[in-house]
Amino acid sequence: MSESIEARLAALGVSLPTPAAPQANYVPVVRTGNLLFVSGQIPIGPNGIEFVGKVGQEFGIDEGRACARLCGINIIAQTKAAIGDLEKVVRIVKLVGMVNSTPDFTDQPKVINGCSDFLVDVFGDKGRHARSAVSVASLPFGVAVEIEAVIEVA
């Protein structure tokens, strides 16, 4: 992929938002050496918090994927705020995806693919990562998905 990350985002119709401020006692990103640890990002869109509810109840897999994609957009926004230039991203190392889902819902990996697929679309092979996708009983503000990331930067 020879085009810039910003150009790929634009081609995907994505404008990065101003990153959300923490809602508790933590920082959005910690850098240690060449690693960024991006705190869990929730689906905050242009009109505020989106996708409130459980996957398997209020939302199906497709809506869960859209929610995870929005979390991915917010991960990239936090990354850009932390390092200034997305071309400094060496690799998306790991995601931890949490899905607020019903006890009988077992497709958490398909939901978190919404973020994983988006990161590969944006970063190419640098976007391929290790990952966990787990079910949780609830998430902050009742959202359907929260995703945290570890990113290697130059």
Side-chain angles (χ1 to χ4, degrees):
M1 297 179 125
S2 60
E3 64 185 334
S4 74
I5 292 166
E6 296 283 350
R8 278 182 248 145
L9 285 166
L12 293 166
V14 174
S15 267
L16 293 178
T18 300
Q23 298 297 304
N25 188 14
Y26 65 94
V27 294
V29 179
V30 169
R31 181 173 183 165
T32 182
N34 288 341
L35 293 178
L36 293 182
F37 290 81
V38 182
S39 294
Q41 297 299 299
I42 62 174
I44 298 175
N47 298 315
I49 295 175
E50 299 182 20
F51 298 99
V52 174
K54 287 190 176 287
V55 179
Q57 186 171 307
E58 287 84 8
F59 305 114
I61 292 171
D62 289 341
E63 294 94 350
R65 285 177 53 83
C67 180
R69 182 180 189 274
L70 183 52
C71 293
I73 290 169
N74 291 323
I75 287 169
I76 294 172
Q78 292 288 3
T79 300
K80 184 175 180 180
I83 62 173
D85 180 2
L86 291 173
E87 298 303 321
K88 293 180 182 177
V89 171
V90 173
R91 174 145 207 170
I92 308 298
V93 177
K94 183 169 184 182
L95 298 181
V96 176
M98 296 156 276
V99 182
N100 178 6
S101 54
T102 58
D104 60 336
F105 185 82
T106 59
D107 284 324
Q108 290 80 10
K110 290 179 183 176
V111 169
I112 301 303
N113 277 347
C115 181
S116 294
D117 293 346
F118 175 68
L119 292 175
V120 171
D121 288 344
V122 173
F123 293 100
D125 283 339
K126 296 189 302 185
R128 298 191 186 284
H129 50 270
R131 184 183 88 181
S132 299
V134 299
S135 176
V136 296
S138 67
L139 286 169
F141 310 105
V143 297
V145 175
E146 179 176 355
I147 303 174
E148 62 183 54
V150 179
I151 299 172
E152 181 183 2
V153 296

